[in-house]
Amino acid sequence: MSEHRRKPPESQGGGRAAARRAAQQPSGRRAAPARDAVAGSPSAPHGEPRPAGGRAEARRAAQRGGRRRGAESGGGGPAGPGGRRGGAGPGNRRPGKKRIIDYPRYNKRGWRRWMPSWKLVSGLCVGFLGTLVAVIAIAYWMVSVPNVAQAAQAQNNVYFWADGSQMVATGGEVNRQIIPYEKIPAAMRYAVISAENKTFETDSGVDPQGIARALLNMAKGGHTQGGSTITQQYVKNARLDDQSQTITRKFKELFISIKVGATKKKSEIMAGYLNTAYYGRGAYGLQAAARTYYSKDAKDLDPSQCAFLASLLKGATYFDPAGATEIDPAATPEQNTKNAMNRWAWILDQEVKDDHLSAADRAKYKQFPMPDKPKKNAQLSGQIGYLVSLAKAYFVNNNTQGITAADLDQGGYEIHTTFDKKKVQALEDVVKKVRKENIDPKKRPKYDTFVQFGAASVDTKSGAIKALYGGEDATKHFTNNADQTGAQVGSTFKPFVLAAAMEYGKRDPKGPADQGDSERTPVSPKSIYSGMNKLKIKNYDGTIWTDKDGGQWLQTNDGDESYNPPSYAIDLRYAMQESANTPYVQLGMDVGTDKVKDVALAAGLRKDSLASSSVPSFSIGTSSPSAIRMAGAYATFATSGMHHDPYSVDKVDKQGRVVYQHDDKATRAFSAAIADNVTDVLKNVVEKGTGTNAQLSGRDVAGKTGTTDGNRSAWFVGYTPQLSTAVSMYRLDDNETNKKREFLKMFGTGGQEKIHGASFPATIWHDYMEQALNGVPAAAFPTPEPIGDKVYGGGMSPSPSAPPSPSDSPKPSDSPSPTPSVTPSKSPKPTKSCGKWDWNCSGGPGGTNAGADQGTTTGNVGGPSGSPSPSSSKPGNGPQGNIFGGPGGG
């Protein structure tokens, strides 16, 4: 076989793969076929053993060659036996140059390349700690110790009317006086140490665990938390230039606290803390607190009084016995007094435990040191104090920047309110006039003492509170009567029952207990219910309702009056007009009082103001919403079902920066058809029913009267398309010495036999609205669409000829009743005249077999042939009675 056809010898170092890689290299830089190949002629011997390493070693060499170009010697010459030009052989290879930060590691393979060495880890830790120390040192050097004297310079808050004019500047009165450490009683220092920071005398001024908890809580979006040591709290109180609740601020306070702890004496820190702390009632510093709560200097406080003042440092809103319901409704005088007494006793016991007070001295203080009553600023007299209090509470409860009541009391804020100066003045003048002309405690001390009025007026289209009447004088009568008072609203609650009946419908008596929409029938205002007095109330399925003791509920009407005997059949429109209780109590049972509650909440009432819905009387106003909330809820009807939450602050600025801006978030409470039908029914109340005293010349008015059981409160709530106003009247001895806080009956008050919503409340409403709407163009309510079916509730049943509504003629918008009716045959002319409303008059049209068993059965009840005139008297054969409703009536 010729030489050129002989099979070439096998590669000695790397095989075919190495040969291919070598062949692929560019000309002039190509290495030998393999690392261990013999550089000789093709005829060289090929039976020699293969050098160690083989193909795998050749691959590794080729890979290293791809990473390193050229040999360490500089390369450029012909390729050596190691592969590349100038390369080294397998026995003398050297790695690339080692880096300063050896990561990934140069001489490791696989996962070991990514494992940092102990030198690298140690170096990073040292570097991080060094940097951290440097940052701390710089921050420590840059922060300054707060100046207590500067902290004492609180500014005023300026409140503005809705038109931009200034209402009052308040909040930064001179109510702080710095006193030296020597004038601070030892008992006060010990009380604070035992209550706030037991290790104060020995700690460094900071609590790392407390800071960590605060930062973690803030990171989670929870409530902010302050420093837990006295030093940290002093730093927080003294930094008036920055009261923002941010992590940056917390870090800055931490460094300041460290510096204060290292550079100031404990006595200076304690004096600084007690001179800057907020004790409530606008009092900053111990001296101001001693004067505010006990009318004495700080140096004259005894250990018991010191323990109480120390308890206020935990939060005066919840520990001042005077209460702070304007900030939180739960902070009542009763609850706050209980809180204060418990913490006062605990602090004294802790002082004994910490050897700051002897057991013998502790035994001297068994009676709680009740502080003085709050003193009011003369600038806040009349209605101004109520307006400021309401605006302040609204801002504190609705701002999203964590600004607290204490922050606001530091001053520097510009609060732009919604209050209309002219409307506020008009409302106050009207109430004063009615009081002066009718209420005389000297002449009738038994009946006219403790008489209170409350009122609120809300813009229907925005929810802005335009005016309120909180009482005779905010510096004398501390409760804001326009806000939560506890006075029940009576029949002014009935519109929510009617709205629920149209929204959810009457339940099918034969349907399942858990009624779905398919088992409910939407209710029309034309629906028929019993107007019988002492009506036995039933469940929706026809069974008699009983309480937990098996007692039945016999609902009464005002004046024990029955409507349209002997059938007692009246429609819901007329029942609202005359404020009959029995139809609406039974309607609430047919719909479900839970559904009534849902509608009231949707309209804008607060859950905490609603009574239990487990009893039938819930539907006639056993709840006690505020005048503000009632005005806002009725405004929902005025705007065809769109609810705007009442508000009192438009905007708040501080140092030219907007810190709060009201955002109107209107929600649909119920459909326009429901709201407009309720408005139409309430409009009828003012035109023909119990609310005629509220009629305004040339304007559409809708409203409802309300009187409660025992005549303990009376209301009128009404609205035009532009403005909704609620007025309440009640008798309440809310003097702080009266622990019962009992609503008193108003029989004989103002020289009247009985107070109704149609009397003084409606008069106040009318006279105020005449002035408030002066110059405002009149507007009409929307025409309601037909809604619901004509249902029969509480045992009533359709008659051969359905009785018409005992009110005015049907309006063009009214639709025919969907209930089938039979036209009765003509009867001979009666020999005896019958009244228009005597639907079962013998000899008249219709039958005489009407049931008299509380409306549980109904015979063939015919109806009058004509429509009554607006001047018609009340239906029925009995005495006329009173038209204003009854317990829960109008």
Side-chain angles (χ1 to χ4, degrees):
M1 183 180 292
S2 62
E3 184 70 21
H4 69 276
R5 293 175 62 90
R6 182 186 302 168
K7 184 179 179 181
E10 232 176 81
S11 174
Q12 299 294 313
R16 298 174 182 175
R20 280 197 304 271
R21 286 193 293 272
Q24 291 169 357
Q25 293 183 2
S27 176
R29 297 174 59 90
R30 186 175 301 164
R35 185 185 59 185
D36 299 320
V38 178
S41 67
S43 59
H46 58 275
E48 298 177 7
R50 183 179 298 170
R55 298 178 182 177
E57 185 64 26
R59 280 197 300 272
R60 287 195 291 272
Q63 291 168 357
R64 286 195 296 273
R67 291 193 297 269
R68 290 193 307 274
R69 294 192 175 273
E72 292 183 5
S73 62
R84 290 192 186 185
R85 197 183 318 172
N92 59 356
R93 293 190 320 274
R94 288 188 296 174
K97 187 177 180 180
K98 186 176 181 180
R99 295 164 292 179
I100 295 176
I101 300 178
D102 183 23
Y103 193 82
R105 299 174 69 180
Y106 81 102
N107 62 346
K108 299 295 181 182
R109 303 290 177 264
W111 64 269
R112 292 182 177 83
R113 280 174 52 79
W114 306 100
M115 287 295 292
S117 66
W118 68 268
K119 294 180 180 179
L120 179 60
V121 174
S122 301
L124 289 175
C125 290
V126 171
F128 173 76
L129 291 176
T131 303
L132 183 62
V133 170
V135 169
I136 292 175
I138 293 172
Y140 182 85
W141 176 76
M142 290 181 64
V143 298
S144 58
V145 175
N147 188 323
V148 178
Q150 291 178 353
Q153 298 173 1
Q155 304 176 60
N156 279 327
N157 291 317
V158 182
Y159 291 80
F160 296 90
W161 294 103
D163 62 4
S165 61
Q166 182 173 317
M167 179 195 302
V168 65
T170 184
E173 303 86 9
V174 180
N175 198 17
R176 174 172 14 213
Q177 180 181 349
I178 298 174
I179 56 176
Y181 180 80
E182 293 74 22
K183 291 189 176 182
I184 297 175
M188 186 66 193
R189 302 197 303 268
Y190 291 144
V192 172
I193 290 173
S194 291
E196 303 286 331
N197 184 189
K198 293 180 181 293
T199 62
F200 170 72
E201 298 290 350
T202 58
D203 63 34
S204 61
V206 296
D207 177 12
Q209 292 183 345
I211 292 291
R213 284 194 305 269
L215 294 177
L216 179 62
N217 199 42
M218 291 172 66
K220 291 180 177 179
H223 295 293
T224 55
Q225 296 178 354
S228 58
T229 69
I230 288 176
T231 304
Q232 289 172 260
Q233 293 180 57
Y234 158 59
V235 169
K236 177 183 181 298
N237 294 340
R239 294 191 62 223
L240 300 183
D241 60 320
D242 182 10
Q243 290 296 321
S244 60
Q245 300 292 325
T246 62
I247 293 180
T248 301
R249 177 180 182 270
K250 291 296 180 184
F251 273 115
K252 194 172 183 180
E253 281 184 2
L254 174 61
F255 291 128
I256 296 175
S257 299
I258 294 172
K259 193 166 188 176
V260 168
T263 59
K264 282 186 171 289
K265 297 178 180 178
K266 291 294 184 179
S267 59
E268 294 181 71
I269 296 172
M270 176 61 75
Y273 173 55
L274 294 178
N275 277 318
T276 58
Y278 181 62
Y279 295 80
R281 300 190 189 180
Y284 286 86
L286 180 61
Q287 177 65 13
R291 300 299 306 175
T292 298
Y293 287 93
Y294 292 110
S295 301
K296 60 172 63 176
D297 292 328
K299 62 183 179 62
D300 298 324
L301 294 168
D302 62 38
S304 179
Q305 293 167 337
C306 288
F308 165 70
L309 293 180
S311 71
L312 294 174
L313 298 175
K314 189 173 179 64
T317 298
Y318 301 100
F319 290 90
D320 181 357
T325 52
E326 70 278 5
I327 301 297
D328 186 343
T332 62
E334 296 79 9
Q335 184 60 48
N336 278 20
T337 300
K338 181 179 179 180
N339 295 343
M341 293 178 69
N342 290 339
R343 186 159 179 82
W344 161 80
W346 177 81
I347 290 175
L348 289 175
D349 292 340
Q350 289 297 305
E351 289 187 70
V352 174
K353 183 178 179 181
D354 299 335
D355 294 328
H356 293 153
L357 183 69
S358 68
D361 288 337
R362 168 66 180 93
K364 298 177 183 177
Y365 305 113
K366 295 182 179 179
Q367 186 173 359
F368 178 69
M370 183 64 70
D372 300 339
K373 297 178 182 179
K375 304 177 183 67
K376 293 291 183 177
N377 184 346
Q379 285 183 291
L380 304 179
S381 61
Q383 299 304 304
I384 299 298
Y386 301 123
L387 301 177
V388 167
S389 176
L390 189 69
K392 174 182 175 180
Y394 182 85
F395 172 57
V396 169
N397 290 324
N398 290 276
N399 80 84
T400 58
Q401 299 194 25
I403 299 173
T404 65
D407 296 333
L408 189 60
D409 282 341
Q410 293 282 8
Y413 294 88
E414 294 183 355
I415 296 96
H416 298 264
T417 74
T418 62
F419 306 127
D420 186 308
K421 185 177 182 179
K422 292 182 179 179
K423 289 182 174 63
V424 170
Q425 189 63 57
L427 185 55
E428 183 179 26
D429 290 345
V430 167
V431 175
K432 282 183 177 180
K433 179 182 177 182
V434 170
R435 178 182 287 277
K436 182 178 180 181
E437 293 177 353
N438 300 280
I439 308 302
D440 191 347
K442 294 182 179 179
K443 183 178 179 180
R444 292 181 294 271
K446 183 178 179 181
Y447 305 108
D448 287 9
T449 53
F450 310 123
V451 172
Q452 298 292 338
F453 292 95
S457 191
V458 172
D459 184 282
T460 58
K461 294 179 175 59
S462 68
I465 302 172
K466 292 300 182 181
L468 62 82
Y469 180 83
E472 292 184 77
D473 191 327
T475 63
K476 300 174 182 178
H477 174 75
F478 304 136
T479 302
N480 186 346
N481 294 345
D483 211 346
Q484 202 81 10
T485 61
Q488 294 182 358
V489 295
S491 282
T492 58
F493 199 80
K494 289 174 183 174
F496 305 120
V497 184
L498 180 60
M502 291 187 280
E503 171 79 17
Y504 295 103
K506 177 181 180 292
R507 292 179 284 186
D508 181 2
K510 299 179 181 179
D514 184 14
Q515 295 279 331
D517 291 339
S518 60
E519 287 81 31
R520 288 176 175 266
T521 304
V523 174
S524 163
K526 297 179 179 181
S527 298
I528 304 301
Y529 275 77
S530 173
M532 181 181 183
N533 185 54
K534 294 184 179 180
L535 180 69
K536 188 177 293 185
I537 300 301
K538 301 177 181 179
N539 296 306
Y540 80 93
D541 60 2
T543 60
I544 303 299
W545 185 90
T546 58
D547 59 22
K548 61 181 181 180
D549 299 322
Q552 298 179 354
W553 190 277
L554 296 178
Q555 181 59 53
T556 60
N557 292 320
D558 184 42
D560 289 330
E561 182 174 4
S562 291
Y563 296 85
N564 194 43
S567 70
Y568 307 107
I570 59 175
D571 66 16
L572 295 176
R573 181 183 179 88
Y574 182 75
M576 187 77 77
Q577 173 185 313
E578 301 302 321
S579 202
N581 294 329
T582 52
Y584 279 92
V585 173
Q586 186 58 61
L587 177 64
M589 299 300 290
D590 289 349
V591 175
T593 50
D594 59 326
K595 300 301 185 185
V596 175
K597 184 175 184 178
D598 289 344
V599 165
L601 293 172
L605 301 188
R606 286 182 171 172
K607 188 175 181 179
D608 58 6
S609 71
L610 297 181
S612 171
S613 60
S614 62
V615 293
S617 59
F618 175 76
S619 295
I620 51 173
T622 55
S623 300
S624 54
S626 67
I628 293 173
R629 286 287 160 179
M630 286 299 289
Y634 269 50
T636 305
F637 298 127
T639 54
S640 296
M642 294 302 296
H643 172 63
H644 301 262
D645 214 42
Y647 71 100
S648 57
V649 177
D650 273 320
K651 183 179 70 170
V652 177
D653 299 330
K654 185 174 186 182
Q655 298 176 346
R657 179 173 61 93
V658 176
V659 297
Y660 173 77
Q661 182 74 56
H662 173 71
D663 182 17
D664 183 17
K665 297 179 180 178
T667 58
R668 177 157 292 285
F670 25 76
S671 70
I674 292 173
D676 293 344
N677 272 276
V678 171
T679 293
D680 190 58
V681 171
L682 295 183
K683 183 180 176 183
N684 188 64
V685 171
V686 176
E687 291 177 349
K688 306 183 187 74
T690 61
T692 54
N693 284 349
Q695 293 176 359
L696 299 176
S697 178
R699 293 185 183 275
D700 275 2
V701 176
K704 184 69 187 76
T705 55
T707 306
T708 59
D709 188 21
N711 201 209
R712 288 179 169 84
S713 61
W715 290 72
F716 185 82
V717 187
Y719 54 94
T720 66
Q722 304 96 337
L723 201 61
S724 177
T725 301
V727 180
S728 65
M729 177 182 178
Y730 52 91
R731 288 181 65 209
L732 174 65
D733 181 8
D734 59 356
N735 190 296
E736 293 181 11
T737 60
N738 183 9
K739 303 300 182 183
K740 293 183 179 180
R741 201 174 184 274
E742 180 182 2
F743 285 88
L744 306 175
K745 296 180 179 181
M746 292 191 292
F747 297 108
T749 297
Q752 305 258 332
E753 181 180 348
K754 183 177 182 180
I755 299 296
H756 298 92
S759 55
F760 299 139
T763 299
I764 292 172
W765 189 95
H766 171 272
D767 293 352
Y768 160 72
M769 292 290 278
E770 285 279 14
Q771 298 182 50
L773 295 172
N774 185 30
V776 179
F781 290 122
T783 301
E785 299 177 4
I787 191 171
D789 294 340
K790 185 177 181 179
V791 304
Y792 294 79
M796 306 299 288
S797 60
S799 62
S801 178
S805 168
S807 58
D808 205 355
S809 301
K811 297 187 177 182
S813 61
D814 289 341
S815 62
S817 170
T819 305
S821 62
V822 179
T823 304
S825 58
K826 293 184 179 180
S827 302
K829 184 176 180 179
T831 56
K832 172 181 168 183
S833 63
C834 297
K836 287 183 179 180
W837 302 108
D838 193 355
W839 295 352
N840 293 282
C841 175
S842 59
T848 60
N849 183 23
D853 54 346
Q854 301 186 27
T856 57
T857 59
T858 305
N860 297 331
V861 182
S865 59
S867 300
S869 64
S871 60
S872 298
S873 61
K874 195 175 298 290
N877 294 332
Q880 291 296 314
N882 197 302
I883 68 169
F884 297 118

